[in-house]
Amino acid sequence: MQGYGAEAGAALVAHPGVRRISFTGSVPTAKRIARAAAAGLVPTSFELGGKSPLLVFADADLDVAVDLAVEQYDNAGQVCLAATRLLVESSISEEFTRRFVARAAALRQGDPRDEATDIGPNIHARQVEKIDGFVRRAVAAGARTLLGGGPNTDLGGLYYRPTLLTDVAQDSEIVQEEVFGPVLTLQTFDTEDEAVRLANDTRFGLAATLATGDRDRAERVAARLVAGTVWVNCFFVRDLRAPFGGSRESGVGREGGTWSFDFYCDLKNTVTAPKGWIDRG
């Protein structure tokens, strides 16, 4: 069945013949699906949005950390797992920012069919307008633009320049809401506790990325982060046998390997009395 969600999707989730609903998309749409599914007690599994952090500690390999940060622009930022909030320890923030801006400014936007292209277009002109709206509102609220900040008019209407914003408040829209475009924010922290607090301070919990040279810190911080997936000194390394999903408003349930079997099955327990058989001779 094909069509727009308001028509085809609504008809599907309300149909009495549907016994399971697995959905990937936005939080508002998931809430509408959950309300429709509740009428028939239909189980749901949701993989939703994210506002994931990248924590960079002073003991990290700075080249690795910068590589990880620039990688968040992949697919023009249209990645639910993207670590769009860069949280950098204050003592290295100036050097990290200098290296990051130099690397990101050299990224080449263009036709994704060209092997020389680093960043392709966004999915639709309306999405570019939405991305630009986020950036404009952030700047109006006091954010400072360190990179990009608008559409790439040289390439037409579907390209948005890789953007980095700083001087952003933790409770601001640009820090709290998913943009789904090539827009990152940069904040600093002084202590490990502050880094974890900032990382966890959103309504999402899909993923987190951690850059550190200390194995003990990696284990300690990873355990405290609210996220379905935590990457340490790497990003987007996936094993399809591993559980995948999010916490909080990033989703309900897990996919991958055997983790989703219970959701897609009705388990049955059959008990037989050990001495309850009649001997027929």
Side-chain angles (χ1 to χ4, degrees):
M1 188 173 186
Q2 298 180 3
Y4 290 107
E7 300 172 357
L12 275 172
V13 299
H15 195 283
V18 173
R19 300 313 309 153
R20 294 290 188 279
I21 298 173
S22 178
F23 171 75
T24 299
S26 72
V27 173
T29 301
K31 290 180 178 180
R32 294 182 64 181
I33 291 173
R35 286 193 291 269
L41 292 179
V42 177
T44 58
S45 176
F46 294 138
E47 197 273 285
L48 308 176
K51 195 67 179 179
S52 302
L54 165 56
L55 291 75
V56 181
F57 288 92
D59 56 23
D61 182 320
L62 207 53
D63 289 330
V64 171
V66 170
D67 285 345
L68 291 173
V70 173
E71 194 176 352
Q72 307 311 314
Y73 289 130
D74 282 1
N75 202 36
Q78 298 164 132
V79 179
C80 61
L81 295 161
T84 56
R85 296 183 295 131
L86 308 182
L87 306 177
V88 184
E89 192 162 351
S90 299
S91 61
I92 61 166
S93 62
E94 186 175 336
E95 178 64 13
F96 173 89
T97 303
R98 183 187 66 79
R99 293 196 196 186
F100 173 85
V101 170
R103 281 279 313 281
L107 293 173
R108 178 176 173 179
Q109 277 189 297
D111 191 328
R113 294 169 295 186
D114 185 342
E115 292 186 1
T117 294
D118 296 308
I119 299 179
N122 287 99
I123 190 65
H124 197 281
R126 286 198 301 271
Q127 181 61 20
V128 174
E129 293 175 3
K130 179 181 177 182
I131 295 167
D132 196 44
F134 271 107
V135 173
R136 288 179 180 275
R137 290 190 297 274
V139 171
R144 182 161 54 97
T145 304
L146 300 181
L147 180 73
N152 189 336
T153 55
D154 295 336
L155 295 175
L158 295 180
Y159 292 82
Y160 201 86
R161 296 185 185 278
T163 296
L164 178 65
L165 301 174
T166 192
D167 295 341
V168 292
Q170 179 62 23
D171 61 354
S172 63
E173 178 192 54
I174 198 66
V175 170
Q176 295 293 327
E177 298 298 329
E178 186 176 34
V179 177
F180 215 65
V183 178
L184 309 181
T185 59
L186 175 66
Q187 298 167 274
T188 61
F189 62 86
D190 294 313
T191 67
E192 186 176 298
D193 284 344
E194 184 183 11
V196 172
R197 178 181 62 77
L198 291 172
N200 288 339
D201 188 19
T202 74
R203 60 195 175 97
F204 296 105
L206 186 56
T209 303
L210 172 61
T212 178
D214 186 328
R215 289 179 180 269
D216 291 337
R217 166 173 278 157
E219 293 183 7
R220 188 170 61 243
V221 173
R224 297 176 64 190
L225 293 173
V226 179
T229 300
V230 178
W231 284 289
V232 179
N233 295 329
C234 61
F235 174 67
F236 214 52
V237 178
R238 294 283 308 279
D239 184 333
L240 297 182
R241 296 167 298 180
F244 174 76
S247 303
R248 296 175 174 168
E249 290 196 17
S250 284
V252 176
R254 292 292 183 270
E255 299 288 343
T258 61
W259 295 94
S260 59
F261 281 13
D262 285 355
F263 173 72
Y264 289 107
C265 298
D266 286 324
L267 300 182
K268 179 184 292 185
N269 178 24
T270 300
V271 180
T272 302
K275 298 181 179 179
W277 301 99
I278 298 175
D279 187 358
R280 298 294 184 181

